[in-house]
Amino acid sequence: VGRAGAALRSPADQVTLAAEAVADAAADRDGAAITSSGLTKRFGKQLVVDDLALEVPSGAVYGFIGPNGSGKTTTIRMLLGLVRPDAGTCALLGGIMPAAGGEVLPKVGALVEGPAFHPYLSGRANLLRLDAADRRSDPATASARVAAAIDRVGLSAAARKRYRAYSLGMRQRLGIAAALLQPRELLVLDEPTNGLDPQGTREVRHLIGDLAADGTTIFVSSHLLAEVEQLCTHLGVMRTGRLVAQGPMRELRALTAIRFQVRTPDAELALATVAALGVTDAARVPAGVAGSLGEVAPERIVAALVNAGVAVAEFAQVTPTLEDLFVQLTGEGFDVSG
């Protein structure tokens, strides 16, 4: 057809061909469950999501973290076809969204910005209504599916209680149960432990682990960094609408330098000693001195301190936490939300 054929194509045809090209590229990425390229969204003059390029491997538990207002929920809404991007494309399970929503979304369970149910119906009745609205559901097995989903999130004792009497944590669990009414290849969870007590948080963590072990890809946005650290195999970090880091958890944690702490009454002499070894960020702390190891071996630091006459009461190597990485990448502290 060549150039003449290309010139005769309508703008709609050209958009379709571009989407197909992106889909082919997404399919070539080794089994990625979620991909995006140049994903951008503005609300008025505010740039909320800027040139986002996600890649979530199939079978991963992908933690999506960032400070409040960094664009996480808007990104999730674009991925699910709830909000149209101003630029760029995104694909779920190889299908370009939102065009492929009819084919892809039945394989996707989602909990976004808290669940919404009929307050005057019981938890069980709400799930039965949702199940009945699904054209692929078999009415003959609806009760069994609903019971299994409720049991999986630990709500069996409250299944016949009206939704308006549910606590916030119970409502979160019911929302997760709704996402599990059908077998899913991908779960997208926005703050799934919001409002849960410690026991409920542990139960959701175990549930996500079980689902991941069954082969389900989990994309979870959370402000609980300790939970993300325990759950996730991969991580994406947002800051002011941009993805500032992405990859396997072990690789991203390697970006944060391992630190050391020396408990000593001779802080000034210890500072001078470690500075001579090339430790450039050493500083006084209440019990002594702390700094980054960098390329300096711990035993070399200890030997130098002892040889210099520093009274070393304790030397500790400190492994960086996910919070350390978060602060390094975003410049913000631990108190963040989705």
Side-chain angles (χ1 to χ4, degrees):
V1 178
R3 296 181 180 176
L8 292 173
R9 294 184 183 120
S10 68
D13 290 336
Q14 293 176 22
V15 170
T16 300
L17 288 170
E20 289 173 350
V22 174
D24 291 340
D28 288 340
R29 301 181 193 178
D30 297 331
I34 299 176
T35 59
S36 71
S37 177
L39 200 62
T40 302
K41 182 64 184 178
R42 292 179 179 271
F43 291 116
K45 295 182 178 180
Q46 184 180 5
L47 183 60
V48 179
V49 177
D50 183 12
D51 194 29
L52 189 66
L54 284 172
E55 186 163 356
V56 179
S58 292
V61 181
Y62 186 103
F64 195 47
I65 63 174
N68 188 32
S70 60
K72 300 190 305 298
T73 296
T74 299
T75 297
I76 289 173
R77 293 176 69 84
M78 286 192 288
L79 292 176
L80 295 172
L82 300 173
V83 171
R84 286 188 175 271
D86 294 322
T89 58
C90 57
L92 299 184
L93 303 175
I96 297 297
M97 295 295 293
E103 175 187 353
V104 170
L105 290 180
K107 306 172 188 176
V108 179
L111 174 64
V112 183
E113 292 189 317
F117 294 101
H118 296 288
Y120 55 87
L121 293 179
S122 68
R124 179 179 181 275
N126 267 294
L127 293 188
L128 285 170
R129 286 176 68 93
L130 282 176
D131 188 77
D134 189 340
R135 291 175 297 176
R136 302 168 312 285
S137 296
D138 180 3
T141 58
S143 292
R145 278 196 310 278
V146 167
I150 287 176
D151 180 66
R152 197 158 197 185
V153 298
L155 279 180
S156 295
R160 298 186 181 276
K161 183 183 291 188
R162 290 189 178 184
Y163 178 75
R164 67 186 177 195
Y166 277 19
S167 67
L168 177 59
M170 292 167 70
R171 295 180 181 193
Q172 286 294 107
R173 294 192 201 191
L174 192 66
I176 297 173
L180 298 175
L181 285 173
Q182 295 286 346
R184 310 293 187 183
E185 295 181 28
L186 171 64
L187 275 181
V188 178
L189 304 175
D190 189 10
E191 297 289 346
T193 56
N194 184 36
L196 294 180
D197 58 18
Q199 177 62 28
T201 298
R202 283 194 296 270
E203 290 172 358
V204 170
R205 183 171 69 236
H206 291 316
L207 173 60
I208 291 175
D210 291 344
L211 292 167
D214 291 339
T216 304
T217 303
I218 315 288
F219 183 92
V220 55
S221 167
S222 179
H223 72 282
L224 299 176
L225 300 188
E227 292 298 315
V228 171
E229 194 163 22
Q230 292 184 63
L231 275 174
C232 297
T233 61
H234 292 69
L235 193 67
V237 184
M238 293 286 286
R239 180 184 183 186
T240 60
R242 296 189 66 88
L243 191 68
V244 295
Q246 175 179 236
M249 180 77 77
R250 63 182 181 276
E251 293 182 7
L252 293 184
R253 290 189 62 169
L255 298 176
T256 304
I258 297 176
R259 297 182 61 78
F260 68 88
Q261 290 184 352
V262 180
R263 186 158 60 89
T264 177
D266 305 322
E268 291 302 325
L269 181 55
L271 277 176
T273 303
V274 297
L277 293 174
V279 179
T280 58
D281 65 345
R284 292 197 63 163
V285 294
V289 171
S292 300
L293 280 175
E295 299 298 323
V296 185
E299 57 269 24
R300 187 180 169 203
I301 293 178
V302 174
L305 290 170
V306 172
N307 290 336
V310 176
V312 179
E314 182 182 16
F315 180 91
Q317 185 171 308
V318 182
T319 301
T321 64
L322 182 56
E323 182 181 358
D324 296 325
L325 174 64
F326 184 90
V327 172
Q328 177 178 311
L329 292 172
T330 69
E332 304 222 11
F334 184 78
D335 186 17
V336 296
S337 68

